[in-house]
Amino acid sequence: MEYSNPKLILDSSTIEAGKIRWRSPSNIALVKYWGKYGQQQPRNPSISLTLSQAATDTTLSYGPKQADRDIDLEFYFAGESRPDFAQKVEKYFLSLLPVFPFLKQLHLRIDTDNSFPHSAGIASSASAMSALALILCGMEKRFFNTLSEESEFLQKASYLSRLGSGSACRSVYPHVAIWGDTASAPAASNDFAIPYADEVDPIFQSYHDDILIISRAEKSVSSRAGHQLMEDNLYAENRYQQARQRLTRLIDAMKEGDLETFGKITESEALTLHALMMTSNPPYLLMEPNSIAAIRKVQDFRADTGHPLYFTLDAGPNLHLLYPDNIAEPVKEFIRTELVPLCQDGLYIADRCGAGPEELEA
Ligand code: PMV
């Protein structure tokens, strides 16, 4: 796949100021991507639910270049100037100059904010990087009248999101997305994610994902470092094979609407992810005592009620509670009485599977 295009250059005499704004959601992996090689290529395929509330809202304002630098960029997060983020985005944009050479002709100002509480300890790279990639594709479309086919637009946005943060490539599609080569979905690719909502039981389109904020603290080991540690993990090859098999089984369960198999694989994946962290060298532990207390309560609730409530975990201590809409009432009551006391400051985010990113009026 080759997106380099030296023709995407603006006529410098006619550059007008403008704005472009996208809101893009986070996503939660069911089969996890953990381990990568080359340019953000995944060691195994993954599948995720696209969220709705946990999203990043980003506006990029552009105009004639002001400073004599390759990338002339300012960055504001929640209204505050963030040179640290500016540096990261500058590096990303520099790497994309062969794809979008017009970036070096403009002054760029990025204003971004997350819809979920700041410092909730929720990874925001998927929503942040997909919002940026969608904006870049939106600029190309606006300036050069390209990418008019939606599928082409989203595939390029997914590809470029992946280069920013692997898991971000799955956020550009509504409800369900698959990323990585797998025999179960012939259209899937290591280069970009594909939409998959239409292939699975519609029950997943209104699935809930309530996020228990067990700790708001920043993770002690970044996912970049975590992926790196997989390279020397003794269990790595078995893990990648397991992930491929689980993906196939999970896809079948999701097609059949088999919530029990879906939940069992999902929980097992969460614990495997954390087991891989514990078996890295050096080993590390991102779960907190309350993560485990909450896991036990979820499993007890399921045993007592028979309701298909299952959890997953990201690379952190916070639990994601997955359940179909038809049991929302008893589950919400259970969360309020039993689980909120385990959350830091009683914080949890009631999220849902969502319709994907949207362009907003800038
Ligand atoms: O996209 P990254 O490099 O931040 O990695 C994310 C990895 C997990 O969130 C733990 C799993 C996944 O597939 O999203």
Side-chain angles (χ1 to χ4, degrees):
M1 174 136 295
E2 181 53 89
Y3 280 121
S4 293
N5 188 352
K7 290 199 202 117
L8 299 183
I9 285 284
L10 298 162
D11 175 353
S12 304
S13 58
T14 60
I15 292 178
E16 281 179 32
K19 289 181 181 198
I20 186 155
R21 178 177 173 199
W22 277 83
R23 181 182 195 275
S24 188
S26 190
N27 68 79
I28 181 70
L30 304 167
V31 171
K32 311 289 182 182
Y33 148 62
W34 199 238
K36 63 177 173 181
Y37 67 98
Q39 265 204 322
Q40 305 267 83
Q41 296 281 316
R43 291 279 185 199
N44 64 261
S46 55
I47 185 168
S48 56
L49 299 181
T50 301
L51 300 183
S52 143
Q53 295 304 311
T56 299
D57 182 339
T58 302
T59 303
L60 185 141
S61 313
Y62 56 84
K65 200 160 175 179
Q66 295 174 4
D68 186 20
R69 299 164 43 199
D70 276 343
I71 299 291
D72 175 16
L73 175 89
E74 299 171 76
F75 193 103
Y76 295 82
F77 177 70
E80 290 195 16
S81 169
R82 293 293 297 261
D84 51 340
F85 288 162
Q87 220 175 4
K88 284 187 188 163
V89 174
E90 191 177 323
K91 211 172 136 203
Y92 175 59
F93 283 9
L94 274 172
S95 75
L96 294 184
L97 280 179
V99 179
F100 298 123
F102 60 83
L103 288 175
K104 62 173 184 284
Q105 298 179 282
L106 298 168
H107 173 75
L108 306 165
R109 177 189 160 125
I110 292 172
D111 286 276
T112 188
D113 205 349
N114 291 334
S115 62
F116 43 90
H118 303 149
S119 70
I122 299 189
S124 53
S125 68
S127 53
M129 296 315 298
S130 54
L132 270 184
L134 287 155
I135 283 173
L136 295 175
C137 291
M139 289 168 89
E140 179 190 327
K141 185 175 175 185
R142 185 181 290 182
F143 296 155
F144 304 100
N145 288 319
T146 52
L147 303 175
S148 50
E149 281 283 324
E150 196 190 15
S151 58
E152 188 194 9
F153 181 95
L154 292 177
Q155 189 169 99
K156 186 164 184 176
S158 179
Y159 180 99
L160 299 171
S161 301
R162 187 196 99 234
L163 297 178
S165 168
S167 59
C169 72
R170 298 183 310 239
S171 276
V172 309
Y173 293 112
H175 308 299
V176 185
I178 292 179
W179 169 38
D181 293 332
T182 165
S184 298
S189 162
N190 278 356
D191 289 334
F192 45 79
I194 58 164
Y196 210 67
D198 291 345
E199 313 295 324
V200 301
D201 191 289
I203 198 166
F204 294 104
Q205 304 212 358
S206 59
Y207 233 64
H208 289 254
D209 176 6
D210 289 353
I211 310 168
L212 304 180
I213 308 301
I214 301 292
S215 166
R216 312 165 82 118
E218 289 254 330
K219 325 186 249 213
S220 54
V221 180
S222 67
S223 51
R224 173 202 283 255
H227 288 291
Q228 185 55 41
L229 287 170
M230 281 302 283
E231 290 308 297
D232 295 318
N233 189 307
L234 185 65
Y235 302 101
E237 279 313 315
N238 283 342
R239 156 61 193 163
Y240 302 140
Q241 199 186 337
Q242 173 192 56
R244 284 180 211 115
Q245 289 165 353
R246 280 182 172 167
L247 182 70
T248 297
R249 284 171 47 220
L250 186 68
I251 286 175
D252 287 345
M254 290 179 79
K255 283 183 173 170
E256 286 160 21
D258 174 354
L259 300 187
E260 191 182 338
T261 306
F262 165 84
K264 278 186 177 159
I265 296 173
T266 299
E267 287 196 352
S268 198
E269 269 296 294
L271 296 177
T272 301
L273 172 68
H274 285 257
L276 290 166
M277 296 170 187
M278 292 181 222
T279 53
S280 289
N281 183 18
Y284 62 107
L285 194 57
L286 296 185
M287 276 193 265
E288 295 291 336
N290 276 356
S291 313
I292 293 171
I295 287 173
R296 294 229 153 98
K297 281 188 184 279
V298 168
Q299 292 177 334
D300 288 347
F301 174 84
R302 199 164 62 228
D304 293 346
T305 63
H307 289 319
L309 170 69
Y310 293 88
F311 71 86
T312 187
L313 297 158
D314 222 328
N318 301 324
L319 253 69
H320 288 245
L321 300 181
L322 301 170
Y323 55 94
D325 192 45
N326 65 353
I327 58 164
E329 217 176 289
V331 172
K332 298 263 181 217
E333 175 62 20
F334 164 64
I335 292 174
R336 275 192 294 270
T337 54
E338 300 281 333
L339 299 178
V340 164
L342 300 173
C343 297
Q344 185 165 13
D345 305 324
L347 182 63
Y348 85 99
I349 298 168
D351 211 340
R352 297 282 284 260
C353 198
E358 53 177 337
E359 184 170 7
L360 300 174
E361 196 77 38

